[in-house]
Amino acid sequence: MAQWAVTIPADRWATERLFHHDTLTVAGTAGVAPAAGDEVLLVTEGEAPHVVALGVVAEQESRRRGAHGVPEVEVAYTRRSFDAPVAADELALDAPITAVDAEVFRRLAAGLGGDRDKQTWLVSLDLPIEAATPAEAVRQFWSYVVELGPAELPTFVSPSGDELAMQAFVLGEEANQDPEEDEDD
């Protein structure tokens, strides 16, 4: 079993932070063919790359090709650490898919820590909507959600049973929604 570092393109990384996906498909690298079951460090693209998740290479469709005829690689997530990534300075990332020494892989993977115990969260999106009927209000709600999306609509989250700890998030990042605090800046 080999170990790999797979770079998540910046535009795809923004999507991965917003939505829960079971797998990530990325363009392969010519001449590099990770096998099903190989372990993967998922790394952000950029000047200061970070390991944000672990995964395994999923069974590949041999005919599945990317835009330039290069096979695509599908990685199934095994652990996510989007909110507490590990610096990947010691990785030599010269291609979107790069072989990684087993010792370096284990050290970076260990830095991600274990899976946290899950807890129940209350997540809400409240919109004041004027409508003639409840059904019409629901239709308008979903239209607004699709139209405005996570870039413009704040989502509120709190631990179940501790609603006073509510926080607002926009684009997957904590966002201040208090207009009085904005005036002080």
Side-chain angles (χ1 to χ4, degrees):
M1 187 178 309
Q3 290 82 29
W4 303 89
V6 172
T7 303
I8 304 172
D11 59 337
R12 182 59 195 227
W13 171 235
T15 301
E16 291 303 300
R17 285 192 51 86
L18 286 175
F19 301 100
H20 180 93
H21 296 112
D22 293 330
T23 61
L24 170 69
T25 302
V26 295
T29 301
V32 177
D38 283 355
E39 297 175 302
V40 174
L41 295 170
L42 290 158
V43 182
T44 59
E45 183 177 59
E47 290 182 28
H50 285 80
V51 177
V52 295
L54 298 176
V56 294
V57 176
E59 289 289 333
Q60 306 296 310
E61 293 182 32
S62 59
R63 289 175 269 139
R64 189 172 177 172
R65 302 271 176 191
H68 300 289
V70 177
E72 292 181 327
V73 175
E74 186 174 12
V75 177
Y77 284 104
T78 58
R79 185 184 321 157
R80 291 173 177 81
S81 189
F82 292 173
D83 302 321
V86 173
D89 300 332
E90 61 187 294
L91 289 177
L93 301 171
D94 52 1
I97 300 176
T98 306
V100 176
D101 175 73
E103 183 179 322
V104 171
F105 182 94
R106 296 286 170 239
R107 187 170 43 253
L108 290 170
L112 289 177
D115 288 331
R116 296 174 137 189
D117 291 334
K118 291 187 177 184
Q119 68 183 61
T120 302
W121 297 87
L122 298 177
V123 180
S124 65
L125 173 63
D126 298 322
L127 295 174
I129 296 175
E130 293 182 21
T133 66
E136 179 61 24
V138 170
R139 283 190 289 277
Q140 287 185 34
F141 170 84
W142 288 116
S143 295
Y144 287 139
V145 169
V146 169
E147 181 181 331
L148 300 175
E152 295 185 48
L153 295 174
T155 305
F156 302 95
V157 62
S158 65
S160 182
D162 187 8
E163 288 74 19
L164 294 178
M166 183 179 292
Q167 297 173 299
F169 282 77
V170 176
L171 282 176
E173 299 284 335
E174 191 171 347
N176 181 14
Q177 296 296 304
D178 186 347
E180 291 180 10
E181 287 184 27
D182 286 343
E183 291 173 7
D184 295 340
D185 291 340

